[in-house]
Each structure stands twice: as structure tokens, then as C-alpha cells.
């Protein structure tokens, strides 16, 4: 069930049977010479949309801008600084909590978001503590590549050249969902260098075409389809487990 294609009455009905909502979250940032700028928000959206076709999940609109200041040296990247990102996550969660959602599950597609999303959760919990609000409200962060079984498939598909940015697995997922947007390029070197992540000019100087440690030339739509099928099944199970959590008496 997709929130943006529902009416408020349908959401009210859903709340009578579940207090859980899934929010795909990512970033709009460069992904090398062949990766789409939307890769990091599209992957969790693609997986959540696939999952809600068979599971009783409510999927909120995708939070598609994240902590990507280090990619600003490449055109098309849009970034929120951590403080803005945390404030926006807080307002999203409080809007949903206002209607009775108690379990907010973020399916993330960008490693650079993790620290800030966790800090945003800490802010929400601190507000609840200081206000003496009742137990039950919980947030969860899951990176899509950490869903059960996904990494094992990626390691089998891409034993070398997976890397950490503009990876063949994330690009394969977007190729499966958007075959008309598949790009090609000659990679030089075939496997990109690795190193630290600092500010935008440093990143551009270290990683000339934007990739980190990856060879996205190995991506295919078929490999992406296998990753999406596993991720969607694991997402349904993981959300069900989160929903079933009971606050201690
Ligand atoms: Ni990415």
C-alpha cells in the first residue's frame, strides 16, 4: 500500500490494523559515469514498492535528499547538511506519530546518511523522555544491502570490484527498474580507487569520475532483479518482526 496513492480514510483504516510505516530514504548524488543521480533513493523505493505488492506494508513517500555534501563537486548532487536533515526527519516522524504511527521503519540507500539518521532518532527519543511520553514509539534504520540474504547474493554476483560507491549492485537494481535509463561508459581504471571521505573538493580530487572502489560495468538488469526479489522478501519479514515488538511491561 502506497501512502501517496491512498486517501486519508484508507490510512485511518490501515491504522486500525497496524501502527507501522516504511519510509524509503536516500540521497540524490552523483554515482559515477553510469550511475543515475537518484540511485540511493531509487533503490530503497524500488525494493519497498516491490515488497508492498505482496506484503501488507504501508510505504510513505520517499525521502530523497540526504547527507551528500561530499558529492557536491559533481553537478546534479543535492545535499542537506546534517542539522537540516535531522530536523526534517524529526518533522516527518512527528507528523506520522501525530496520527498514531508508533513504528517508523526507514529503509536506507545511502551509507552517508546513517550517522545523521541515528542522531535524528536520538533527538526524537530525547524529546519523548523529557516530555515523559508513554512507551511504544520506536524508529528503525535498515540499509537495503543489509536485508537478510542480499549481501550474499551481491558477493556471489560481484566477487571483485563491488566497492562502496557507485557499486554494481545498486546500479543493477536501478537497471532492473528503469531499463530505458541504462548508461554505458569506458571506465578508467576499471576498478576505482578507495580512500577516505572528507569535503567536496577533496572527494573530487581523489575520485575523478565519482566511483569508490567499484566496477559498475558488471551490473545487469537480471542481477538487479535477483537482488530486488531477495530484498523485498526480507523487508516484509523484517518489518513484520519490528511491528511485533512489544514494549516491556
Ligand atoms: Ni549509492
Amino acid at each position: 500500500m502506497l501512502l501517496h496513492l491512498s486517501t486519508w480514510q484508507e490510512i485511518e483504516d490501515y491504522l486500525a490494523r497496524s501502527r507501522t510505516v516504511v519510509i524509503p530514504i536516500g540521497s540524490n548524488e552523483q554515482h559515477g559515469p553510469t550511475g543515475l543521480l537518484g540511485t540511493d533513493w531509487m533503490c530503497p523505493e524500488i525494493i519497498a514498492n516491490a515488497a508492498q505488492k505482496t506484503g501488507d506494508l504501508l510505504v510513505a513517500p520517499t525521502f530523497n535528499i540526504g547527507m551528500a555534501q561530499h558529492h557536491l563537486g559533481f553537478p546534479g548532487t543535492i545535499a542537506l547538511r546534517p542539522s537540516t536533515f535531522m530536523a526534517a526527519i524529526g518533522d516527518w516522524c512527528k507528523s506520522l506519530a501525530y496520527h498514531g504511527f508508533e513504528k517508523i521503519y526507514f529503509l536506507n540507500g545511502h551509507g552517508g546518511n546513517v550517522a545523521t539518521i541515528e542522531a535524528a532518532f536520538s533527538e526524537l527519543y530525547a524529546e519523548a523522555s523529557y516530555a515523559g511520553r508513554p512507551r511504544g514509539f520506536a524508529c528503525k534504520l535498515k540499509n537495503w544491502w543489509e536485508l537478510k540474504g542480499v549481501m550474499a547474493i551481491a558477493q556471489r554476483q560481484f566477487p571483485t570490484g563491488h566497492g562502496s560507491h557507485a557499486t554494481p549492485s545498486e546500479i543493477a537494481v536501478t537497471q532492473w527498474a528503469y531499463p530505458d535509463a541504462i548508461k554505458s561508459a569506458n571506465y578508467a581504471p576499471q576498478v576505482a580507487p578507495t580512500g577516505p571521505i572528507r569535503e567536496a573538493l577533496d572527494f573530487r580530487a581523489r575520485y575523478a569520475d565519482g566511483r569508490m572502489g567499484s566496477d559498475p560495468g558488471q551490473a545487469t538488469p537480471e542481477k538487479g532483479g535477483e537482488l530486488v526479489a531477495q530484498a523485498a522478501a526480507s523487508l516484509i519479514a523484517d518489518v513484520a518482526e519490528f511491528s511485533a515488538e512489544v514494549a516491556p511491561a
Side-chain angles (χ1 to χ4, degrees):
M1 182 174 176
L2 297 171
L3 185 141
H4 71 285
L5 297 183
S6 306
T7 65
W8 70 263
Q9 290 97 335
E10 287 170 325
I11 300 304
E12 195 167 75
D13 291 346
Y14 176 87
L15 277 161
R17 66 178 190 277
S18 174
R19 297 290 171 126
T20 303
V21 60
V22 176
I23 306 174
I25 191 165
S27 176
N28 196 88
E29 62 184 47
Q30 71 83 14
H31 269 74
T34 55
L36 307 180
L37 280 150
T39 299
D40 281 2
W41 62 261
M42 291 161 72
C43 288
E45 180 177 281
I46 290 162
I47 292 161
N49 285 358
Q52 60 85 36
K53 288 179 181 165
T54 53
D56 186 22
L57 298 183
L58 176 64
V59 179
T62 302
F63 196 135
N64 60 12
I65 306 294
M67 219 303 288
Q69 60 78 18
H70 48 296
H71 294 294
L72 284 171
F74 299 86
T77 299
I78 303 171
L80 295 175
R81 69 185 63 208
S83 51
T84 314
F85 193 29
M86 287 169 64
I89 292 167
D91 286 354
W92 276 56
C93 289
K94 282 181 269 193
S95 299
L96 292 162
Y98 190 86
H99 307 294
F101 288 99
E102 293 177 337
K103 302 275 176 66
I104 318 274
Y105 184 109
F106 284 90
L107 183 65
N108 181 44
H110 176 46
N113 282 350
V114 170
T116 310
I117 294 173
E118 292 286 5
F121 292 174
S122 295
E123 283 281 347
L124 286 164
Y125 292 143
E127 279 182 33
S129 296
Y130 294 135
R133 279 204 288 275
R135 293 159 294 166
F137 177 80
C139 298
K140 177 166 176 156
L141 169 63
K142 181 74 106 178
N143 298 315
W144 70 262
W145 56 88
E146 291 176 338
L147 287 164
K148 192 175 177 194
V150 172
M151 195 58 86
I153 293 173
Q155 284 168 347
R156 168 171 53 74
Q157 292 177 337
F158 313 110
T160 60
H162 187 266
S164 58
H165 183 65
T167 65
S169 60
E170 61 183 347
I171 287 170
V173 168
T174 63
Q175 287 183 343
W176 175 77
Y178 296 92
D180 294 342
I182 295 175
K183 322 282 183 179
S184 63
N186 292 318
Y187 300 105
Q190 192 68 32
V191 178
T194 59
I197 296 174
R198 293 179 184 141
E199 93 295 338
L201 293 176
D202 182 89
F203 191 102
R204 176 92 199 219
R206 287 177 192 278
Y207 312 108
D209 70 6
R211 298 173 295 146
M212 291 182 70
S214 65
D215 170 16
Q218 303 176 75
T220 67
E222 294 72 25
K223 290 174 184 172
E226 186 183 8
L227 289 163
V228 171
Q230 177 65 49
S234 295
L235 177 64
I236 292 168
D238 202 42
V239 172
E241 195 176 308
F242 182 49
S243 296
E245 269 182 30
V246 179

